[in-house]
Amino acid sequence: MKKYILMTVLSTLSFICHAQQYEVGTTTAIWKNPVAADFMEAKMQGVHYIEVALNQCYRGVPAEEVIPRIKLMKSRVDSAGIQVWSIHLPFSRTLDISVLDDSLRAKNVRFMAQMIEQCGQFKPARLVLHPSSEPIADSVRARRIVNAQRSIMYLKPYADRIGAQLCIENLPRTCLGNTPEELLEIICGIPGVKVCFDTNHYSKGSIEHFMKILGRHIGTIHASDFDLVNESHWLPTQGKIDWQRFVKELRSNGYKGVFMYEAMKDCDHDKARPVPSRIYETFKNITGSE
């Protein structure tokens, strides 16, 4: 009995120590128009990594301004001295790599390749890519999966050239990749491609089930909370996700990346965008970090 208790204590301590190894990051999208001072504040508050949300340089922006805005984002990141862990590639209802129209898909994929080339200046470790937009009817789902696979195979060498790992994100509702089984089907034939586990996008099962299917394929994460029904992007601990279980599953599956937040609302503060100090506070509560 004493031996069992000792082993349990040592196992718990080992888990805590491993959990403390994670660094915390946040998406640039928590700021409407992020500037260097925002990144500096985040770094001072313990948030040492960021994910650059390229939609801030793309959505609603004239085509000729996209690349200049990316370069401006890069200069602000550099002046703050904060580390870029990942870049979320652009997405929209029309910017879809799985569409059935071959000419439109080719156009979308070529644009995505150009965006990956621009990402090289940030030296990211990971690139996050949506496998589709929506809605997707059941009658065309299989064809859309094949198209997504073809597009990912085309884009993978571009990611390789800039030294980044391409990670395909699980998505909600009728989007492709709304179950771990389907997401595994999408990536399984493309060596070196991983997944981005967005906790807010998976409502069709348990964290344990997702991890059982894809745990060893996780290259990065998007951490945010919700009611397990509809995506809400609340700060972790404000919804129904079991975060201690989530961290334990991450560790047991060998995840060694950044604990990247994609939380856009702080429900304890009237659903305002979370500030870096609140992000780090919840991160410490989840992982037991000091």
Side-chain angles (χ1 to χ4, degrees):
M1 183 65 180
K2 289 182 179 179
K3 183 178 179 181
Y4 172 79
I5 294 172
L6 178 60
M7 290 179 67
T8 302
V9 170
L10 289 175
S11 176
T12 302
L13 288 174
S14 175
F15 165 67
I16 291 172
C17 289
H18 283 310
Q20 290 174 335
Q21 292 176 6
Y22 287 132
E23 290 277 3
V24 64
T26 186
T27 173
T28 61
I30 67 166
W31 301 285
K32 186 175 181 180
N33 182 28
V35 296
D38 295 319
F39 300 145
M40 290 176 184
E41 179 192 8
K43 190 175 179 182
M44 287 188 294
Q45 294 289 346
V47 180
H48 294 153
Y49 289 83
I50 57 168
E51 175 172 281
V52 176
L54 276 196
N55 262 6
Q56 293 178 303
C57 307
Y58 163 74
R59 290 277 280 270
V61 175
E64 65 275 12
E65 290 186 21
V66 172
I67 291 178
R69 290 194 183 208
I70 293 174
K71 292 184 181 298
L72 179 59
M73 179 78 82
K74 173 64 165 52
S75 69
R76 290 171 174 174
V77 168
D78 286 349
S79 63
I82 198 166
Q83 182 72 37
V84 174
W85 164 251
S86 51
I87 296 183
H88 198 314
L89 292 165
F91 60 92
S92 71
R93 282 294 177 96
T94 56
L95 186 58
D96 186 332
I97 66 168
S98 77
V99 289
L100 299 180
D101 183 316
D102 287 338
S103 61
L104 178 56
R105 185 175 72 86
K107 178 182 177 182
N108 287 343
V109 172
R110 284 196 300 269
F111 175 76
M112 205 68 76
Q114 293 171 359
M115 291 296 97
I116 292 175
E117 289 175 334
Q118 288 298 317
C119 291
Q121 61 193 293
F122 293 90
K123 296 182 173 57
R126 304 287 188 269
L127 296 174
V128 177
L129 175 65
H130 282 191
S132 76
S133 62
E134 63 177 342
I136 296 178
D138 289 343
S139 59
V140 298
R141 195 167 194 89
R143 293 166 60 197
R144 294 284 290 264
I145 288 173
V146 170
N147 278 2
Q149 291 168 327
R150 289 172 176 167
S151 298
I152 293 165
M153 283 190 282
Y154 178 89
L155 294 171
K156 170 69 163 49
Y158 286 87
D160 291 343
R161 283 174 209 152
I162 69 166
Q165 190 170 61
L166 193 59
C167 298
I168 311 305
E169 185 174 356
N170 65 299
L171 297 176
R173 297 177 298 274
T174 67
C175 295
L176 297 186
N178 62 7
T179 67
E181 291 83 0
E182 186 171 270
L183 191 52
L184 180 60
E185 179 185 355
I186 291 169
I187 70 163
C188 67
I190 314 172
V193 171
K194 297 288 188 179
V195 304
C196 170
F197 183 16
D198 188 314
T199 59
N200 222 228
H201 288 167
Y202 184 53
S203 60
K204 295 180 181 294
S206 65
I207 284 173
E208 291 87 347
H209 177 70
F210 191 100
M211 292 290 191
K212 180 180 179 180
I213 304 298
L214 282 173
R216 296 290 175 177
H217 297 275
I218 294 175
T220 191
I221 65 168
H222 284 164
S224 60
D225 219 331
F226 72 132
D227 60 4
L228 305 182
V229 179
N230 296 311
E231 60 177 324
S232 305
H233 291 281
W234 300 330
L235 271 176
T237 71
Q238 295 182 342
K240 293 187 177 180
I241 291 175
D242 183 340
W243 288 99
Q244 279 67 39
R245 168 62 66 180
F246 177 68
V247 173
K248 185 176 181 180
E249 290 285 344
L250 276 183
R251 181 54 57 189
S252 66
N253 280 281
Y255 179 68
K256 300 185 186 303
V258 170
F259 203 94
M260 181 59 65
Y261 276 53
E262 199 185 42
M264 307 302 296
K265 297 175 183 176
D266 184 344
C267 292
D268 291 344
H269 291 75
D270 298 321
K271 297 186 179 180
R273 294 189 179 220
V275 296
S277 59
R278 289 279 293 152
I279 290 171
Y280 191 63
E281 177 187 346
T282 62
F283 171 71
K284 288 192 297 181
N285 290 339
I286 289 168
T287 62
S289 299
E290 295 298 332

